[in-house]
Amino acid sequence: MVVYTQHAKHLSRDFEPAPILAKHRSLQAIMSESSSILPEVGHVILILSGKGGVGKSTVTTQLALSLVRGGKKVGVLDVDLCGPSIPRMLGIEGHDIHQCSEGWVPVYTDSSQRLAVMSIGFLLQNRDDAVVWRGPKKNAMIKQFLSDVVWGPLDYLLVDTPPGTSDEHISVVEGLRTLSPDGAILVTTPQGVALADVRREVTFCRKTKLPLLGIVENMSGFVCPHCSECTNVFSTGGGELLARECTVPFLGRVPLDPRLTQSLEEGKSFVDAFVGTPAQKAVEKVLQKLLQDSNDDSPLSSEQDKT
């Protein structure tokens, strides 16, 4: 049983991600703590993108909600410190983090406690506050998220990372190495500029020996909410071509859908509210491909077929 002791402090200019900044605490010790505090996590998956604005957090939230809808217990760790959008997308913006004797307790999206979330967004007093930190302080915060959050039993932990291949990514990969993460999903859009950046992300994963689970092509066409016809606004097929070129599995395409955008803005579950739409089916297809290629032998619940 978790016993709450106090609220976590809001960030301020002098906020220190204690106790990670203590000089005597080595990365090896932190990695060891990560292993001990996540003993009941079945699968750890990182969501990466080579550039911002490709819908990485959107893909993260929809995969998480689809897993929950399928009967899984899921955690989402938002380590995009400068752009923490996960709390708003899941309708839990403004909630407080509590502390217990074991560490920080994640925020749950509802009373079933099947979807747990940790984000620096919960520590901001205002959604417009900027996290103006240099690399070492960011890395310390990420390591504290990895070592001090009491997730409890989870089927999946999805880690939403910032765009690029910066210090934050190295901290996450190093901190999770002892947990043997399943790997990374790379999110791109069909345009050539985005594809070029994802190629660099592929190189990053291979240099850090992080397995590549596959590529998702997001914003692949626009779905009309009235007739469901799909128009290729940004072209299509670039993600699949890149996957073939880099010998990485292609997980599928997710089209643009105004109803998905509205659901994210309102913090509602798109995959529950719009079952059977092209975008929901696309997310489901990506998830099924991911589960098929992973070592998860337990099928998703029949809830997916309910309307």
Side-chain angles (χ1 to χ4, degrees):
M1 180 179 69
V2 175
V3 179
Y4 300 113
T5 57
Q6 58 181 326
H7 292 287
K9 294 180 180 178
H10 286 293
L11 293 185
S12 66
R13 179 180 297 178
D14 300 321
F15 180 86
E16 294 291 337
I20 298 298
L21 288 184
K23 294 182 179 179
H24 67 277
R25 290 168 58 83
S26 66
L27 177 60
Q28 187 65 36
I30 294 163
M31 289 167 64
S32 176
E33 289 179 10
S34 297
S35 180
S36 64
I37 206 154
L38 295 173
E40 300 175 281
V41 176
H43 300 272
V44 179
I45 297 175
L46 280 70
I47 318 295
L48 307 175
S49 68
K51 66 186 289 90
V54 299
K56 171 180 49 57
S57 296
T58 298
V59 170
T60 301
T61 54
Q62 299 317 299
L63 287 178
L65 290 167
S66 295
L67 283 166
V68 169
R69 190 166 185 270
K72 304 293 185 181
K73 192 167 184 181
V74 183
V76 176
L77 175 57
D78 180 9
V79 295
D80 190 348
L81 302 184
C82 295
S85 54
I86 295 290
R88 180 175 182 179
M89 290 180 171
L90 292 176
I92 48 177
E93 190 176 38
H95 287 222
D96 289 325
I97 297 173
H98 292 85
Q99 289 181 296
C100 66
S101 57
E102 291 84 7
W104 286 354
V105 180
V107 174
Y108 295 97
T109 56
D110 58 32
S111 58
S112 71
Q113 297 192 351
R114 289 167 58 196
L115 180 54
V117 182
M118 178 56 68
S119 171
I120 200 171
F122 299 129
L123 297 172
L124 300 177
Q125 294 181 351
N126 187 306
R127 73 159 59 165
D128 297 325
D129 288 346
V131 178
V132 186
W133 285 353
R134 295 188 185 275
K137 206 166 186 179
K138 287 182 179 180
N139 295 341
M141 186 80 259
I142 290 171
K143 290 166 187 172
Q144 186 162 355
F145 278 157
L146 293 176
S147 64
D148 289 1
V149 179
V150 186
W151 294 100
L154 293 177
D155 295 305
Y156 284 86
L157 176 64
L158 305 183
V159 184
D160 185 41
T161 65
T165 55
S166 59
D167 285 353
E168 291 98 314
H169 299 80
I170 297 173
S171 294
V172 171
V173 172
E174 288 182 342
L176 291 174
R177 197 177 300 281
T178 56
L179 298 175
S180 300
D182 293 55
I185 296 173
L186 306 185
V187 180
T188 186
T189 51
Q191 306 98 306
V193 173
L195 294 172
D197 289 330
V198 173
R199 284 191 184 90
R200 300 186 187 97
E201 203 75 44
V202 170
T203 303
F204 168 83
C205 290
R206 287 176 173 162
K207 283 186 176 180
T208 57
K209 295 181 171 52
L210 180 64
L212 287 162
L213 299 177
I215 292 176
V216 174
E217 182 179 298
N218 194 32
M219 306 185 196
S220 183
F222 169 78
V223 175
C224 174
H226 304 291
C227 66
S228 296
E229 181 180 352
C230 186
T231 304
N232 293 323
V233 180
F234 300 128
S235 77
T236 187
E240 186 172 11
L241 183 64
L242 176 63
R244 198 177 315 130
E245 176 187 318
C246 298
T247 62
V248 174
F250 181 65
L251 298 177
R253 302 179 181 88
V254 179
L256 288 163
D257 189 325
R259 293 165 295 192
L260 173 55
T261 303
Q262 183 178 1
S263 296
L264 293 170
E265 290 289 338
E266 296 175 355
K268 298 179 180 178
S269 174
F270 170 80
V271 299
D272 288 313
F274 297 98
V275 178
T277 59
Q280 188 273 331
K281 287 182 178 178
V283 172
E284 189 64 35
K285 185 177 179 181
V286 168
L287 180 58
Q288 292 294 349
K289 175 67 173 170
L290 179 65
L291 296 180
Q292 177 185 336
D293 293 343
S294 73
N295 296 322
D296 189 351
D297 298 325
S298 56
L300 293 180
S301 164
S302 57
E303 285 183 36
Q304 294 176 54
D305 301 323
K306 296 178 182 179
T307 56

